[in-house]
Amino acid sequence: MVLSRFWLVIFISSIIFVMIALFSGNSYSIDYVLNGKKDDPILVSEKYKEQLPAFIKDSIDKAPDQTMVINRDTLNADTTYVFSNKTVKIYSGKQKSDGLLPTCKTSLFDIILPLMAYLAFFCGLMELLIISGASEKLARKLSPLFSKVFPSVPKNHESISYMTLNFAANFLGLDSAATPFGLKAMESLQEINPDKDKASDAQIMFMCLHAAGLTLIPTSIIGYRAAANAANPADVMLPCIITSFIGTIAAMIIVGIRQKINFKSATLLVAIMTIIAAIVGLLLYINRLDLIGKNFFTANLSGLMLILIIGFTLAFSFFHEKKFSEKSTTVFDTFVNGARNGLTTGVTIFPYVMGMLVAISFFRNSGLFEIMSNGISFAFSNIGVSKEITDSLPVAMLRPFSSSGSRGFMLDAMNTYGVDSLTGRLSSIFQCSAETTFYVIAVYFGSVKIKNTRYTLGTMLLVDLICVITAIFVASWFF
């Protein structure tokens, strides 16, 4: 309900802003809002040649292709004048995201269809884990811990194993596996939710623990930094882990206080200390490696763990094949049935994802996001925050809305300010240590058709803010 109202405000505000720009006499084109493609030049005006300043008109006449480019104007963007069919089209800057109609197409072909493939495969594996009894054994082992964090979840409930696999996949940077595991966890938690239209306490805790995006090996960030010729592509790994871990603990505490969870439990404290020890141990090992060794380790550990999960699932299933026979099925038929359920889930969440992406596209292309970003950067610069930090804030602002959009800002910051500058490094930490909040809420709650998310959105955005503040302090300390 809160999320729906937020998107309604975004839509109405963006429409009002577009209409004001169109009818106030300012240079603006509605076409790129509807049909434009990301990174294309933005058509801001179209005039007769006689309306242009004399030096521009003369330059166009002398140019062989009747085109003139003014580099780096006051908007910090190239301005291009193109004479064609008696008028001069003026382009300035690059479009930040696809228009509304291309976004609808992209949400299906670039997001939902690949996601459906991942869902089909991993939901098939999860069905094998259920029938073979592996998920039940995993849930039984972890019930003492999860009963402290998720007191409303029954002991040995299957959702515990799904949440464990989801957290493990996120921790290892296995995004393709994390989402199917997470969706299965939400479906399982929905089965024990007394109010099917309202998010349960367990679902809220599960979602908010996502907000910090706790990841041990940020392989994609390291890859982008390596491609940009960073001196040490993996040097942001430790700040990313520290930032995301603090954000995760903050999420647990904030939601735990709201849900009156007992944090004095010895089991919970031992588990947290074990996780901290494991992270510190791995970091100490990784820091002993040279640059080539670090890149090799970080590039292969996640893939190796994924292969081990798949191999263990198949081996365990064939070893316990009698359980499949008892249910009048086979290992292969069970996998196919799970894959079919994964495809159904993909179809269910498509409208929610498309609606969210279209709203974000309208929000960015209307110019509202840019105005808000510039305003916040201006406010921070006036209270003494360094320019290197304010230059990286657009990544932090856009991260909860769009992963691809914030990634574009991150890459732009690397190219503009330098991959090894504080701005470039801080942008990488912002990108790594937070989750795409609105996308996650749309996908996860959309999969179980929950309309009232209660305080989930506010808490996740608060955790995002904590991650941003933590990232600034950690980056300033490290670099």
Side-chain angles (χ1 to χ4, degrees):
M1 187 179 299
V2 175
L3 189 61
S4 300
R5 290 174 180 172
F6 175 84
W7 287 126
L8 180 62
V9 171
I10 289 295
F11 266 122
I12 293 177
S13 301
S14 300
I15 291 173
I16 292 174
F17 187 80
V18 169
M19 298 302 292
I20 290 174
L22 281 171
F23 294 105
S24 64
N26 295 334
S27 298
Y28 200 86
S29 172
I30 194 64
D31 184 67
Y32 83 90
V33 175
L34 295 175
N35 301 297
K37 290 293 188 71
K38 185 176 182 297
D39 294 329
D40 278 357
I42 298 175
L43 177 63
V44 296
S45 181
E46 188 171 5
K47 297 183 178 181
Y48 291 107
K49 189 189 297 185
E50 292 72 19
Q51 296 177 293
L52 298 174
F55 79 96
I56 294 179
K57 183 170 60 176
D58 293 341
S59 299
I60 292 175
D61 291 336
K62 295 176 182 178
D65 55 356
Q66 293 190 309
T67 298
M68 178 189 178
V69 179
I70 298 179
N71 295 317
R72 299 293 178 187
D73 63 4
T74 55
L75 295 176
N76 199 30
D78 292 346
T79 300
T80 304
Y81 298 83
V82 180
F83 178 70
S84 178
N85 296 328
K86 299 182 180 180
T87 61
V88 177
K89 294 184 177 180
I90 305 173
Y91 301 88
S92 181
K94 293 182 178 180
Q95 187 163 321
K96 299 297 184 182
S97 66
D98 287 343
L100 300 187
L101 301 182
T103 297
C104 294
K105 178 181 177 182
T106 300
S107 64
L108 175 62
F109 289 100
D110 293 346
I111 297 178
I112 293 298
L113 290 181
L115 179 58
M116 289 175 68
Y118 297 143
L119 285 172
F121 179 72
F122 286 103
C123 285
L125 289 180
M126 283 186 287
E127 194 70 17
L128 295 180
L129 290 172
I130 295 171
I131 303 299
S132 66
S135 62
E136 182 181 352
K137 290 185 177 182
L138 181 60
R140 192 180 300 116
K141 294 288 186 183
L142 295 171
S143 277
L145 169 62
F146 275 76
S147 63
K148 307 301 179 183
V149 183
F150 300 91
S152 61
V153 177
K155 186 178 180 181
N156 301 333
H157 193 262
E158 64 180 10
S159 62
I160 295 174
S161 58
Y162 300 144
M163 288 189 286
T164 301
L165 291 170
N166 172 263
F167 291 141
N170 274 323
F171 190 62
L172 295 169
L174 303 173
D175 295 337
S176 58
T179 301
F181 292 149
L183 291 174
K184 194 68 177 177
M186 285 294 285
E187 292 174 7
S188 185
L189 291 172
Q190 183 71 350
E191 294 174 2
I192 57 175
N193 184 4
D195 189 343
K196 302 301 181 184
D197 290 332
K198 184 186 296 184
S200 66
D201 286 351
Q203 288 172 324
I204 293 173
M205 175 64 83
F206 175 61
M207 291 293 295
C208 290
L209 289 177
H210 272 79
L214 180 59
T215 302
L216 175 64
I217 302 175
T219 51
S220 61
I221 299 298
I222 294 173
Y224 288 127
R225 286 180 53 77
N229 299 315
N232 181 3
D235 62 3
V236 298
M237 187 168 67
L238 184 55
C240 285
I241 294 172
I242 293 174
T243 301
S244 60
F245 184 75
I246 291 175
T248 301
I249 296 299
M252 183 183 297
I253 293 174
I254 293 169
V255 179
I257 292 174
R258 187 75 180 263
Q259 298 180 1
K260 299 180 180 179
I261 291 175
N262 180 20
F263 289 107
K264 297 179 181 179
S265 167
T267 303
L268 185 58
L269 292 175
V270 169
I272 293 175
M273 295 306 297
T274 302
I275 293 173
I276 293 175
I279 292 175
V280 172
L282 281 170
L283 289 176
L284 291 175
Y285 170 74
I286 293 173
N287 285 334
R288 290 172 53 191
L289 303 175
D290 58 18
L291 178 59
I292 296 176
K294 287 180 180 179
N295 290 336
F296 179 82
F297 181 83
T298 55
N300 287 282
L301 179 60
S302 298
L304 177 62
M305 292 302 299
L306 180 58
I307 292 174
L308 289 176
I309 291 173
I310 296 172
F312 169 80
T313 302
L314 295 176
F316 193 90
S317 298
F318 281 109
F319 186 74
H320 295 83
E321 195 168 4
K322 288 184 178 180
K323 292 190 176 182
F324 292 87
S325 300
E326 293 172 358
K327 294 183 179 293
S328 302
T329 186
T330 65
V331 173
F332 180 76
D333 288 340
T334 300
F335 177 85
V336 171
N337 185 56
R340 186 182 297 114
N341 292 335
L343 290 176
T344 302
T345 301
V347 173
T348 301
I349 65 177
F350 170 59
Y352 298 90
V353 174
M354 184 187 67
M356 180 271 302
L357 292 177
V358 167
I360 290 173
S361 175
F362 204 2
F363 179 45
R364 293 182 63 194
N365 285 328
S366 68
L368 271 178
F369 174 80
E370 190 171 359
I371 290 176
M372 291 174 57
S373 177
N374 291 338
I376 291 176
S377 297
F378 177 77
F380 273 85
S381 63
N382 281 335
I383 61 176
V385 178
S386 71
K387 188 176 184 301
E388 290 179 305
I389 293 176
T390 59
D391 287 337
S392 63
L393 288 179
V395 179
M397 287 188 58
L398 194 58
R399 186 70 174 100
F401 294 93
S402 169
S403 177
S404 60
S406 60
R407 182 170 60 246
F409 275 111
M410 178 191 71
L411 297 175
D412 182 67
M414 289 181 180
N415 294 331
T416 303
Y417 305 104
V419 65
D420 289 324
S421 65
L422 179 60
T423 300
R425 284 170 167 150
L426 187 54
S427 297
S428 300
I429 300 172
F430 285 151
Q431 180 71 11
C432 173
S433 57
E435 186 56 89
T436 314
T437 299
F438 291 95
Y439 172 81
V440 169
I441 287 181
V443 170
Y444 281 59
F445 282 126
S447 68
V448 291
K449 300 179 181 179
I450 285 180
K451 299 177 182 178
N452 186 355
T453 62
R454 297 170 65 194
Y455 51 89
T456 309
L457 176 61
T459 304
M460 292 181 72
L461 291 177
L462 177 58
V463 173
D464 288 335
L465 177 61
I466 292 172
C467 287
V468 169
I469 296 173
T470 304
I472 292 173
F473 280 105
V474 171
S476 300
W477 176 40
F478 267 82
F479 308 114

